[in-house]
Amino acid sequence: MMTGNILLLLGVLQTLPISQALYEDQIGKFDWHQQYVGKITDMFWDQSFNAGKRVLVSSERHVLASVHSHNGSLAWRKVLEDGPRGRIDKTLHSGNLLVTLTGGGRFVRKWNAGSGLADWEVSLPGSKSGRADLVQCGRDLLAVMIQDAVYGLDPRSGRQKWSVALPQSNQVVYTHLFTSGTNLFVIGQSLGQQVTRVTVDMEGVVRSTESVKAPWLSESTQCEVTNGGVLICYRSEDQSLQTLTLTDGQVFKSTSLQILGLEPSEEVSMETVRKVEEPLIFLRTAKNHMALLELTNDGVKLKKDLPSICAAQVVSLDDKSMLFTLERIPGELKMKVYDLETGSEMADLYQTITYLPQHGYPQRIEVLMFKKRDLRLGCRFAILSEDYSMQMVLKAERDGSPGKIAWRREEALAYVLSVEMIDLPVSENQAKYEDEFGSHKDDIATMFMKRFKTQISQLKTYIQQQLQKLQGHRHHHHDTEAMAESGSDDDDEDLTRDEFNLNKLIVLVTGAGKVFGVRSTNGHIEWEHFFPELAPFDGNNQQKLLLFVQRTTAHFPNPPQCTVVGKHKGTGNGFLFSFNPISGEPVDTPPTGQVLNYRITQTSMLGELDDHFLRGILLMDPDNQIHVFPGKCLSVLKKTFGSQYMFVADRETGFIKGYRTVPNQGKFLMENVWTVNLQKKQQTITQVVGKRPLEQVHSQGRVLGDRSVLYRYLNPNLVVVVTEGEFIEQSQRGGVFNTINLYLLDSVTGHMVFHCSHKRAKGPITVVHSENWVVYNYFNQKSRRLEMAVLELYEGKEQSNSTAFSSFSSPRQPLVLRQSYIMPLFISTMATTVTEKGITSKQIIFALKLGGLLALPKALLDPRRPLVPTQETMEEGTIPYIPELPVNAEAIINYNQSLYNVQGIHTSPAGLESTSLVLSYGLDLYFTRVQPSKMFDVLKEDFDYFFISAVLLGMFVVTIATQKLSARRALSRAWK
Amino acid sequence: MSSKRKLHKWSIDFSGHGRSKSDRQVQVQDIRAPVGYTESTGTIVEQSGKEADQKLIDKRSWDIALGPLKQIPMNFFIMWMAGNSISIFPIMMVGMMFFKPIQAFISVQNTFVMIEGSQAIIQKFIYIFGNFVCLMLAMYKCQTMGLLPTHASDWLAFMDPQKRMEWSGGGLYY
């Protein structure tokens, strides 16, 4: 019986379109992959064998990478562990040595800078406070400080030479490690009390432990240790700098910023100078104001005030120290270089660089100095900007024309929060046709002329296309080479819709405050906007920036429109930016974005379009007043406010409140109509997942084996509320276990449609909510494995109302079917495919932690899968139930292109019903297309046109010939 | 042409095909009747022939009228043989089963001309009834094969999506 079942299952599985593997020559044909490193925190010019050819970077996204300096591509990239274990505390690079300290002092790894391979790894106990430091002392010692000890390691093998426990490690937070001469200094801080200085010699013996009174130490105090062994702390309370010489200092010396002649501000920060021996430090008081300070025994001296300078670095070459400064002027960067000793400007190194305003202020500069063959000084440098971009200047200004950015890496794309794919506009010709149908005022003659003109231009473009095709084949090779050289700035073809509307413009909104328009064909950036003041909503431990499509491309001649909703960095008020997604031009809002005068607590979209097919956005403020953006859509709300509802779930209180819209003196208010209390004491709301607002569902029901219909419960207002909590087990073993609750709530009436609970189950939970089903995953603590569960809702065999769905008259208790399965691999997120009309069967795409994107048909996650297959279930086409979900290598849609830290998957319909477009974002961007029911609406690429047309033609010829022959035969027979 | 000439060379025409009509007439009249042959067989024969004709006509009309009904057992057998699976041969058979009675209905005028005699009305009725039964049988076959759109599931694809009456949005407090 069992083997029979399995055979049956195998048979059914073979008929399912699980596999959609590619042929080798299809790689990269309709998919692309972009690798990023994230916001760069440390940057070094590679000093090992390929000196000057590569830049080593480490980022806050736990990435260590080496970037080719000639084109910005990655030589290698190491993505370290997720979570606090992988955080890079310190990166150290000098000579051939590249060492990282990660996870709060848990791992020390030495890397081969050329290949990116790890030479050795040492595991240390790690630091409770998360503070750890690493320094190199001479050639044979690496010192690592964690909270309670200092370790001496051999840089060649990683062998531990010695370790020394730090005194009073439970009271003092050790923050800095510094080496000077033959001693190591460990600096510890006790807030409000003192600074502890522990001196350790190179053999690992504690020489002395001293305390220096520092009653002013607070959480906001920033401390740095400069070269030459001076500890400098900045107090934001009274804007003063406190300095202490590490070797012999006994008291802190205080210097006020005012005395130095510097304007104190909110955002003062310090940047250490490492490349020279003198005790120098940069003080930044604003985005474009820095100062170079010199620390002496008497306190702080202003070495050079650098007004309107946004990035600076001190570099030394042949015992000569130089100060590089960058100043941003509109459209350009001015780089001035000063000799540090004399303070005079070195005019031969002065240059200007073309710089686009959408990168914000440069924040860091990393200069590589070298001597040219004619012994003149030359330099190349990398710039890190406010928008997380990294740019490289290789060639200096020549003959008056400003220096050029050789390449740039848009690392903001590793922080994508919202995605939409927008249809491209129709071509000029088609637009003309639409124009013809659009206007009714023209008389016959002008209409005829219009039609004639359009058709002429159509013929012209057709001929041009054919010519291009002929030439294209010839020059194809050159084109690809040229493209590789010029990078992403090459001129792509026009943004017009293709035959099947497969190519889109992808709008990406990133946490860096940057909005991108990216072509779906090749991933090239079409336009970009940077808003330094735009910040994501960051309540509930998750960052959120909203992107609304207010008008699609379908309403020619009205242009499409999208709006980004976030919050203003300074005030926390609402921040809006509305734009045309194709051209990137701002619409309705100023180009720098619009700051509202209220906070946004919740947003929604209007149900109806206005006269120009624009869908308004509803913004709710803390006083429950509703605002409409743009203001011209207020008339729509005036008409339809009776059917406009809203709900807000509060994680802090555990309440979910439902509101209806009420007019009040020309304004609209939200009136609380229902409240659901989810008992904050026992559980917290972690997720609220609704359906896509404009989801297309083709089939109203499901055909059963006996040919009756099980009608779906398609409530568009249904939301899934996930809560996670803990419970104490009552059995003799006891212990605390996690529990998960799922509530299916009608967001208009507050009616609890369904509730289920998983005991001994733990998040993180991903929920996919579409049509009449919900798929979610959880970690089963009892069996210690990942499980998938599916809920499907049905009205039953009768449909209560076939024409309209109202939450007020919907069936109270729909039929809920559920089943769960074992997922053999861990996943980071999942999504379902979406198609144009919703006819194609669905697939669920899982982002595996292993780096793959696994596409499984929804039929495998179907609660009607029978335990024992019968004739009827076979008729229905359900697969017999087997707990494990199959993971098939051919179902991995990104083949061997591993994706790291996938944050989300966005799917979007293409013009072809069979096709769905998939973009996975996270550290990498990966775009591809899937056909869940195979490509049923287009002939396959390998379709044998020649054979079929030859056969058809042959048949035609044979028919005519035989007709002729038979006629002759009949004639001759008649003659007999 | 040459073959024709050859054919002429080797063929002897016994029927007098080539001769004129009047020649043949004359010849037939000239030949005396063979021995024992009487030209007229008398009135009795005439009378009995007429009755037999009537019977034959009735019989033939009944044959025509009952024809469709006689096919029914055969149709049943074919139905049983064809089975309920949907593949090319059963579909062809069902097609034939439909095709025959429909063809009969189309050419019903010609058939009725052939049906003569006193019971013609009943016979016509039975003929139509028989064809109708055949048609029903074909319908039944379609029904058992599941080809008739009689279930709600057959019309599911034509159902429009439900219109949304209320709009709601929201989520976690920002």
Side-chain angles (χ1 to χ4, degrees), chain A residues 167-168 171-174 187-197 209-218 231 244 252:
Chain A
Q168 297 164 331
Q171 290 154 27
V172 181
V173 179
Y174 288 98
I187 309 296
Q189 299 177 5
S190 311
L191 292 187
Q193 291 170 21
Q194 60 195 17
V195 166
T196 311
R197 174 178 63 200
T209 305
E210 289 157 74
S211 296
V212 181
K213 283 223 154 44
W216 37 264
L217 264 184
S218 69
L231 175 72
L244 176 73
F252 276 97

PDB file of all heavy atoms in Angstrom, chain A residues 167-168 171-174 187-197 209-218 231 244 252:
ATOM      1  N   PRO A 167      41.694  43.475  35.342  1.00  0.00           N
ATOM      2  CA  PRO A 167      41.137  43.645  36.689  1.00  0.00           C
ATOM      3  C   PRO A 167      39.762  44.308  36.657  1.00  0.00           C
ATOM      4  O   PRO A 167      39.458  45.062  35.737  1.00  0.00           O
ATOM      5  CB  PRO A 167      42.179  44.534  37.375  1.00  0.00           C
ATOM      6  CG  PRO A 167      42.844  45.259  36.275  1.00  0.00           C
ATOM      7  CD  PRO A 167      42.825  44.359  35.087  1.00  0.00           C
ATOM      8  N   GLN A 168      38.960  44.036  37.636  1.00  0.00           N
ATOM      9  CA  GLN A 168      37.642  44.651  37.854  1.00  0.00           C
ATOM     10  C   GLN A 168      36.760  44.602  36.615  1.00  0.00           C
ATOM     11  O   GLN A 168      36.046  45.549  36.301  1.00  0.00           O
ATOM     12  CB  GLN A 168      37.814  46.125  38.258  1.00  0.00           C
ATOM     13  CG  GLN A 168      38.556  46.288  39.555  1.00  0.00           C
ATOM     14  CD  GLN A 168      39.031  47.704  39.724  1.00  0.00           C
ATOM     15  OE1 GLN A 168      39.290  48.411  38.754  1.00  0.00           O
ATOM     16  NE2 GLN A 168      39.153  48.112  40.972  1.00  0.00           N
ATOM     17  N   GLN A 171      33.059  45.612  36.695  1.00  0.00           N
ATOM     18  CA  GLN A 171      32.610  46.989  36.945  1.00  0.00           C
ATOM     19  C   GLN A 171      33.011  47.934  35.814  1.00  0.00           C
ATOM     20  O   GLN A 171      32.352  48.915  35.559  1.00  0.00           O
ATOM     21  CB  GLN A 171      33.230  47.507  38.252  1.00  0.00           C
ATOM     22  CG  GLN A 171      32.668  46.822  39.470  1.00  0.00           C
ATOM     23  CD  GLN A 171      33.680  46.856  40.607  1.00  0.00           C
ATOM     24  OE1 GLN A 171      34.528  47.727  40.701  1.00  0.00           O
ATOM     25  NE2 GLN A 171      33.584  45.863  41.477  1.00  0.00           N
ATOM     26  N   VAL A 172      34.120  47.608  35.201  1.00  0.00           N
ATOM     27  CA  VAL A 172      34.662  48.521  34.198  1.00  0.00           C
ATOM     28  C   VAL A 172      34.333  47.970  32.805  1.00  0.00           C
ATOM     29  O   VAL A 172      34.448  46.773  32.572  1.00  0.00           O
ATOM     30  CB  VAL A 172      36.197  48.646  34.379  1.00  0.00           C
ATOM     31  CG1 VAL A 172      36.790  49.600  33.374  1.00  0.00           C
ATOM     32  CG2 VAL A 172      36.512  49.069  35.790  1.00  0.00           C
ATOM     33  N   VAL A 173      33.915  48.856  31.919  1.00  0.00           N
ATOM     34  CA  VAL A 173      33.707  48.447  30.529  1.00  0.00           C
ATOM     35  C   VAL A 173      34.966  48.816  29.759  1.00  0.00           C
ATOM     36  O   VAL A 173      35.288  49.998  29.620  1.00  0.00           O
ATOM     37  CB  VAL A 173      32.476  49.156  29.925  1.00  0.00           C
ATOM     38  CG1 VAL A 173      32.295  48.747  28.475  1.00  0.00           C
ATOM     39  CG2 VAL A 173      31.235  48.839  30.724  1.00  0.00           C
ATOM     40  N   TYR A 174      35.691  47.809  29.309  1.00  0.00           N
ATOM     41  CA  TYR A 174      36.910  48.076  28.555  1.00  0.00           C
ATOM     42  C   TYR A 174      36.564  48.371  27.113  1.00  0.00           C
ATOM     43  O   TYR A 174      35.823  47.628  26.476  1.00  0.00           O
ATOM     44  CB  TYR A 174      37.879  46.898  28.675  1.00  0.00           C
ATOM     45  CG  TYR A 174      38.480  46.841  30.065  1.00  0.00           C
ATOM     46  CD1 TYR A 174      37.975  45.991  31.033  1.00  0.00           C
ATOM     47  CD2 TYR A 174      39.518  47.695  30.404  1.00  0.00           C
ATOM     48  CE1 TYR A 174      38.502  45.970  32.304  1.00  0.00           C
ATOM     49  CE2 TYR A 174      40.049  47.688  31.677  1.00  0.00           C
ATOM     50  CZ  TYR A 174      39.544  46.818  32.630  1.00  0.00           C
ATOM     51  OH  TYR A 174      40.062  46.831  33.892  1.00  0.00           O
ATOM     52  N   ILE A 187      42.032  50.710  27.896  1.00  0.00           N
ATOM     53  CA  ILE A 187      41.274  51.795  28.506  1.00  0.00           C
ATOM     54  C   ILE A 187      39.900  51.263  28.885  1.00  0.00           C
ATOM     55  O   ILE A 187      39.197  50.661  28.067  1.00  0.00           O
ATOM     56  CB  ILE A 187      41.082  52.977  27.527  1.00  0.00           C
ATOM     57  CG1 ILE A 187      42.414  53.387  26.915  1.00  0.00           C
ATOM     58  CG2 ILE A 187      40.393  54.143  28.209  1.00  0.00           C
ATOM     59  CD1 ILE A 187      43.407  53.905  27.901  1.00  0.00           C
ATOM     60  N   GLY A 188      39.537  51.470  30.117  1.00  0.00           N
ATOM     61  CA  GLY A 188      38.209  51.073  30.567  1.00  0.00           C
ATOM     62  C   GLY A 188      37.456  52.270  31.070  1.00  0.00           C
ATOM     63  O   GLY A 188      38.060  53.248  31.530  1.00  0.00           O
ATOM     64  N   GLN A 189      36.141  52.219  30.966  1.00  0.00           N
ATOM     65  CA  GLN A 189      35.329  53.346  31.404  1.00  0.00           C
ATOM     66  C   GLN A 189      34.337  52.879  32.452  1.00  0.00           C
ATOM     67  O   GLN A 189      33.736  51.815  32.309  1.00  0.00           O
ATOM     68  CB  GLN A 189      34.552  53.945  30.226  1.00  0.00           C
ATOM     69  CG  GLN A 189      35.458  54.480  29.138  1.00  0.00           C
ATOM     70  CD  GLN A 189      34.679  55.000  27.952  1.00  0.00           C
ATOM     71  OE1 GLN A 189      33.447  55.039  27.975  1.00  0.00           O
ATOM     72  NE2 GLN A 189      35.379  55.399  26.923  1.00  0.00           N
ATOM     73  N   SER A 190      34.173  53.698  33.490  1.00  0.00           N
ATOM     74  CA  SER A 190      33.090  53.476  34.443  1.00  0.00           C
ATOM     75  C   SER A 190      32.262  54.741  34.410  1.00  0.00           C
ATOM     76  O   SER A 190      32.761  55.813  34.743  1.00  0.00           O
ATOM     77  CB  SER A 190      33.634  53.267  35.850  1.00  0.00           C
ATOM     78  OG  SER A 190      34.663  52.317  35.810  1.00  0.00           O
ATOM     79  N   LEU A 191      31.039  54.623  33.952  1.00  0.00           N
ATOM     80  CA  LEU A 191      30.212  55.795  33.706  1.00  0.00           C
ATOM     81  C   LEU A 191      30.056  56.603  34.989  1.00  0.00           C
ATOM     82  O   LEU A 191      29.761  56.068  36.054  1.00  0.00           O
ATOM     83  CB  LEU A 191      28.838  55.383  33.182  1.00  0.00           C
ATOM     84  CG  LEU A 191      28.815  54.776  31.778  1.00  0.00           C
ATOM     85  CD1 LEU A 191      27.392  54.568  31.326  1.00  0.00           C
ATOM     86  CD2 LEU A 191      29.559  55.662  30.794  1.00  0.00           C
ATOM     87  N   GLY A 192      30.295  57.893  34.890  1.00  0.00           N
ATOM     88  CA  GLY A 192      30.114  58.787  36.034  1.00  0.00           C
ATOM     89  C   GLY A 192      31.234  58.713  37.045  1.00  0.00           C
ATOM     90  O   GLY A 192      31.201  59.428  38.046  1.00  0.00           O
ATOM     91  N   GLN A 193      32.220  57.870  36.855  1.00  0.00           N
ATOM     92  CA  GLN A 193      33.252  57.720  37.874  1.00  0.00           C
ATOM     93  C   GLN A 193      34.657  57.982  37.346  1.00  0.00           C
ATOM     94  O   GLN A 193      35.260  59.008  37.615  1.00  0.00           O
ATOM     95  CB  GLN A 193      33.200  56.316  38.483  1.00  0.00           C
ATOM     96  CG  GLN A 193      31.957  56.099  39.308  1.00  0.00           C
ATOM     97  CD  GLN A 193      31.811  54.647  39.684  1.00  0.00           C
ATOM     98  OE1 GLN A 193      32.770  53.895  39.668  1.00  0.00           O
ATOM     99  NE2 GLN A 193      30.598  54.257  40.001  1.00  0.00           N
ATOM    100  N   GLN A 194      35.143  57.076  36.573  1.00  0.00           N
ATOM    101  CA  GLN A 194      36.563  57.137  36.278  1.00  0.00           C
ATOM    102  C   GLN A 194      36.895  56.438  34.969  1.00  0.00           C
ATOM    103  O   GLN A 194      36.072  55.717  34.396  1.00  0.00           O
ATOM    104  CB  GLN A 194      37.348  56.448  37.383  1.00  0.00           C
ATOM    105  CG  GLN A 194      36.941  55.004  37.495  1.00  0.00           C
ATOM    106  CD  GLN A 194      37.400  54.370  38.781  1.00  0.00           C
ATOM    107  OE1 GLN A 194      37.746  55.056  39.720  1.00  0.00           O
ATOM    108  NE2 GLN A 194      37.398  53.064  38.833  1.00  0.00           N
ATOM    109  N   VAL A 195      38.107  56.660  34.543  1.00  0.00           N
ATOM    110  CA  VAL A 195      38.672  55.947  33.402  1.00  0.00           C
ATOM    111  C   VAL A 195      39.801  55.087  33.946  1.00  0.00           C
ATOM    112  O   VAL A 195      40.638  55.576  34.707  1.00  0.00           O
ATOM    113  CB  VAL A 195      39.188  56.946  32.345  1.00  0.00           C
ATOM    114  CG1 VAL A 195      40.071  56.246  31.331  1.00  0.00           C
ATOM    115  CG2 VAL A 195      38.030  57.625  31.655  1.00  0.00           C
ATOM    116  N   THR A 196      39.786  53.797  33.601  1.00  0.00           N
ATOM    117  CA  THR A 196      40.809  52.890  34.097  1.00  0.00           C
ATOM    118  C   THR A 196      41.810  52.648  32.981  1.00  0.00           C
ATOM    119  O   THR A 196      41.427  52.463  31.822  1.00  0.00           O
ATOM    120  CB  THR A 196      40.174  51.556  34.520  1.00  0.00           C
ATOM    121  OG1 THR A 196      39.065  51.850  35.349  1.00  0.00           O
ATOM    122  CG2 THR A 196      41.162  50.681  35.248  1.00  0.00           C
ATOM    123  N   ARG A 197      43.075  52.677  33.354  1.00  0.00           N
ATOM    124  CA  ARG A 197      44.111  52.451  32.363  1.00  0.00           C
ATOM    125  C   ARG A 197      44.961  51.278  32.835  1.00  0.00           C
ATOM    126  O   ARG A 197      45.554  51.306  33.907  1.00  0.00           O
ATOM    127  CB  ARG A 197      44.957  53.712  32.232  1.00  0.00           C
ATOM    128  CG  ARG A 197      46.184  53.563  31.333  1.00  0.00           C
ATOM    129  CD  ARG A 197      46.894  54.866  31.238  1.00  0.00           C
ATOM    130  NE  ARG A 197      47.404  55.287  32.531  1.00  0.00           N
ATOM    131  CZ  ARG A 197      47.737  56.542  32.838  1.00  0.00           C
ATOM    132  NH1 ARG A 197      47.582  57.500  31.961  1.00  0.00           N
ATOM    133  NH2 ARG A 197      48.204  56.860  34.021  1.00  0.00           N
ATOM    134  N   THR A 209      47.879  49.267  36.983  1.00  0.00           N
ATOM    135  CA  THR A 209      46.470  49.567  36.815  1.00  0.00           C
ATOM    136  C   THR A 209      46.222  50.880  37.532  1.00  0.00           C
ATOM    137  O   THR A 209      46.510  51.016  38.717  1.00  0.00           O
ATOM    138  CB  THR A 209      45.604  48.464  37.435  1.00  0.00           C
ATOM    139  OG1 THR A 209      45.997  47.232  36.875  1.00  0.00           O
ATOM    140  CG2 THR A 209      44.139  48.713  37.171  1.00  0.00           C
ATOM    141  N   GLU A 210      45.777  51.862  36.796  1.00  0.00           N
ATOM    142  CA  GLU A 210      45.565  53.175  37.408  1.00  0.00           C
ATOM    143  C   GLU A 210      44.161  53.655  37.068  1.00  0.00           C
ATOM    144  O   GLU A 210      43.591  53.273  36.050  1.00  0.00           O
ATOM    145  CB  GLU A 210      46.561  54.180  36.842  1.00  0.00           C
ATOM    146  CG  GLU A 210      47.985  53.973  37.298  1.00  0.00           C
ATOM    147  CD  GLU A 210      48.928  54.603  36.316  1.00  0.00           C
ATOM    148  OE1 GLU A 210      49.012  55.834  36.305  1.00  0.00           O
ATOM    149  OE2 GLU A 210      49.550  53.853  35.527  1.00  0.00           O
ATOM    150  N   SER A 211      43.641  54.499  37.898  1.00  0.00           N
ATOM    151  CA  SER A 211      42.348  55.100  37.627  1.00  0.00           C
ATOM    152  C   SER A 211      42.500  56.600  37.575  1.00  0.00           C
ATOM    153  O   SER A 211      43.239  57.180  38.370  1.00  0.00           O
ATOM    154  CB  SER A 211      41.357  54.752  38.734  1.00  0.00           C
ATOM    155  OG  SER A 211      41.140  53.375  38.732  1.00  0.00           O
ATOM    156  N   VAL A 212      41.832  57.209  36.650  1.00  0.00           N
ATOM    157  CA  VAL A 212      41.825  58.657  36.530  1.00  0.00           C
ATOM    158  C   VAL A 212      40.392  59.100  36.704  1.00  0.00           C
ATOM    159  O   VAL A 212      39.489  58.541  36.056  1.00  0.00           O
ATOM    160  CB  VAL A 212      42.377  59.099  35.157  1.00  0.00           C
ATOM    161  CG1 VAL A 212      42.380  60.606  35.054  1.00  0.00           C
ATOM    162  CG2 VAL A 212      43.762  58.532  34.939  1.00  0.00           C
ATOM    163  N   LYS A 213      40.161  60.040  37.551  1.00  0.00           N
ATOM    164  CA  LYS A 213      38.798  60.487  37.836  1.00  0.00           C
ATOM    165  C   LYS A 213      38.188  61.122  36.596  1.00  0.00           C
ATOM    166  O   LYS A 213      38.799  61.972  35.955  1.00  0.00           O
ATOM    167  CB  LYS A 213      38.814  61.498  38.986  1.00  0.00           C
ATOM    168  CG  LYS A 213      38.994  60.881  40.337  1.00  0.00           C
ATOM    169  CD  LYS A 213      38.048  61.523  41.339  1.00  0.00           C
ATOM    170  CE  LYS A 213      37.710  60.605  42.484  1.00  0.00           C
ATOM    171  NZ  LYS A 213      38.850  59.891  43.044  1.00  0.00           N
ATOM    172  N   ALA A 214      37.002  60.706  36.280  1.00  0.00           N
ATOM    173  CA  ALA A 214      36.284  61.308  35.150  1.00  0.00           C
ATOM    174  C   ALA A 214      34.792  61.273  35.477  1.00  0.00           C
ATOM    175  O   ALA A 214      34.061  60.466  34.934  1.00  0.00           O
ATOM    176  CB  ALA A 214      36.582  60.559  33.855  1.00  0.00           C
ATOM    177  N   PRO A 215      34.350  62.113  36.384  1.00  0.00           N
ATOM    178  CA  PRO A 215      32.942  62.065  36.803  1.00  0.00           C
ATOM    179  C   PRO A 215      31.979  62.474  35.696  1.00  0.00           C
ATOM    180  O   PRO A 215      30.781  62.237  35.802  1.00  0.00           O
ATOM    181  CB  PRO A 215      32.898  63.045  37.979  1.00  0.00           C
ATOM    182  CG  PRO A 215      34.074  63.922  37.819  1.00  0.00           C
ATOM    183  CD  PRO A 215      35.116  63.128  37.119  1.00  0.00           C
ATOM    184  N   TRP A 216      32.518  63.057  34.620  1.00  0.00           N
ATOM    185  CA  TRP A 216      31.654  63.544  33.540  1.00  0.00           C
ATOM    186  C   TRP A 216      31.316  62.449  32.528  1.00  0.00           C
ATOM    187  O   TRP A 216      30.578  62.673  31.587  1.00  0.00           O
ATOM    188  CB  TRP A 216      32.345  64.704  32.836  1.00  0.00           C
ATOM    189  CG  TRP A 216      33.833  64.515  32.712  1.00  0.00           C
ATOM    190  CD1 TRP A 216      34.775  65.013  33.548  1.00  0.00           C
ATOM    191  CD2 TRP A 216      34.520  63.735  31.732  1.00  0.00           C
ATOM    192  NE1 TRP A 216      36.024  64.601  33.170  1.00  0.00           N
ATOM    193  CE2 TRP A 216      35.893  63.816  32.048  1.00  0.00           C
ATOM    194  CE3 TRP A 216      34.114  62.990  30.632  1.00  0.00           C
ATOM    195  CZ2 TRP A 216      36.861  63.160  31.302  1.00  0.00           C
ATOM    196  CZ3 TRP A 216      35.065  62.342  29.884  1.00  0.00           C
ATOM    197  CH2 TRP A 216      36.435  62.426  30.226  1.00  0.00           C
ATOM    198  N   LEU A 217      31.877  61.259  32.679  1.00  0.00           N
ATOM    199  CA  LEU A 217      31.644  60.208  31.673  1.00  0.00           C
ATOM    200  C   LEU A 217      30.162  59.844  31.625  1.00  0.00           C
ATOM    201  O   LEU A 217      29.564  59.540  32.651  1.00  0.00           O
ATOM    202  CB  LEU A 217      32.436  58.956  32.030  1.00  0.00           C
ATOM    203  CG  LEU A 217      33.799  58.750  31.386  1.00  0.00           C
ATOM    204  CD1 LEU A 217      34.346  57.413  31.808  1.00  0.00           C
ATOM    205  CD2 LEU A 217      33.708  58.817  29.878  1.00  0.00           C
ATOM    206  N   SER A 218      29.583  59.886  30.447  1.00  0.00           N
ATOM    207  CA  SER A 218      28.168  59.494  30.317  1.00  0.00           C
ATOM    208  C   SER A 218      28.005  58.648  29.051  1.00  0.00           C
ATOM    209  O   SER A 218      28.956  58.431  28.305  1.00  0.00           O
ATOM    210  CB  SER A 218      27.284  60.738  30.261  1.00  0.00           C
ATOM    211  OG  SER A 218      27.509  61.407  29.041  1.00  0.00           O
ATOM    212  N   LEU A 231      44.278  59.925  24.895  1.00  0.00           N
ATOM    213  CA  LEU A 231      42.851  59.604  24.928  1.00  0.00           C
ATOM    214  C   LEU A 231      42.105  60.924  24.870  1.00  0.00           C
ATOM    215  O   LEU A 231      42.390  61.847  25.644  1.00  0.00           O
ATOM    216  CB  LEU A 231      42.525  58.859  26.221  1.00  0.00           C
ATOM    217  CG  LEU A 231      41.044  58.562  26.448  1.00  0.00           C
ATOM    218  CD1 LEU A 231      40.576  57.494  25.498  1.00  0.00           C
ATOM    219  CD2 LEU A 231      40.802  58.134  27.891  1.00  0.00           C
ATOM    220  N   LEU A 244      43.766  63.064  27.775  1.00  0.00           N
ATOM    221  CA  LEU A 244      44.619  62.409  28.775  1.00  0.00           C
ATOM    222  C   LEU A 244      45.750  61.720  28.037  1.00  0.00           C
ATOM    223  O   LEU A 244      45.506  60.937  27.109  1.00  0.00           O
ATOM    224  CB  LEU A 244      43.795  61.370  29.538  1.00  0.00           C
ATOM    225  CG  LEU A 244      44.555  60.518  30.560  1.00  0.00           C
ATOM    226  CD1 LEU A 244      44.887  61.351  31.782  1.00  0.00           C
ATOM    227  CD2 LEU A 244      43.748  59.298  30.945  1.00  0.00           C
ATOM    228  N   PHE A 252      42.590  64.573  33.440  1.00  0.00           N
ATOM    229  CA  PHE A 252      42.074  65.014  32.144  1.00  0.00           C
ATOM    230  C   PHE A 252      42.205  66.513  32.046  1.00  0.00           C
ATOM    231  O   PHE A 252      41.993  67.236  33.017  1.00  0.00           O
ATOM    232  CB  PHE A 252      40.604  64.621  32.019  1.00  0.00           C
ATOM    233  CG  PHE A 252      40.413  63.214  31.546  1.00  0.00           C
ATOM    234  CD1 PHE A 252      40.181  62.185  32.444  1.00  0.00           C
ATOM    235  CD2 PHE A 252      40.467  62.919  30.200  1.00  0.00           C
ATOM    236  CE1 PHE A 252      40.014  60.899  32.003  1.00  0.00           C
ATOM    237  CE2 PHE A 252      40.292  61.634  29.756  1.00  0.00           C
ATOM    238  CZ  PHE A 252      40.067  60.620  30.649  1.00  0.00           C
TER     239      PHE A 252
END
